[in-house]
Amino acid sequence: MSFQIECPNCGLRPVWEFSYGGASRKRPEGDITERQWAEYLYNRANICGEQVESWYHRSACKTWFLAHRDTRTNQVFETRPIVPQEAAGG
Ligand SMILES: [Zn+2]
């Protein structure tokens, strides 16, 4: 299904210009085990519905940003620049 995403720098563009970075998650902090790292890196919730995701505009500004999208309909509600502590980490 084709849809459009509004890059915070470039404006509304077709989805094929972007790379999907996965659902945005908070990076674990502190002294965590290898098992906890593995959970964070490889186990995704695969949400059916609204989630905040990381996207990369590979065809133009080469910038990562966050998009609030419904995975069922591909409706994009909002996009905004990413700040370092919000990085998807994977
Ligand atoms: Zn862009």
Side-chain angles (χ1 to χ4, degrees):
M1 177 187 294
S2 183
F3 59 100
Q4 293 185 316
I5 298 176
E6 179 143 2
C7 171
N9 299 318
C10 308
L12 201 59
R13 300 291 183 92
V15 69
W16 55 261
E17 290 191 7
F18 301 87
S19 292
Y20 177 67
S24 179
R25 299 176 299 160
K26 191 167 182 77
R27 185 183 173 120
E29 296 178 5
D31 191 22
I32 63 171
T33 65
E34 288 182 14
R35 184 174 202 70
Q36 289 170 313
W37 266 119
E39 286 284 325
Y40 171 72
L41 293 172
Y42 301 113
N43 293 335
R44 306 272 176 156
N46 196 22
I47 292 172
C48 180
E50 294 181 25
Q51 67 179 2
V52 176
E53 306 166 330
S54 297
W55 286 83
Y56 179 68
H57 199 178
R58 71 173 189 279
S59 296
C61 66
K62 314 285 188 206
T63 302
W64 285 96
F65 63 93
L66 295 176
H68 177 195
R69 180 177 71 98
D70 190 322
T71 62
R72 297 166 295 190
T73 62
N74 284 327
Q75 180 179 0
V76 179
F77 303 104
E78 173 190 36
T79 59
R80 60 186 168 91
I82 197 165
V83 293
Q85 55 268 40
E86 292 178 313

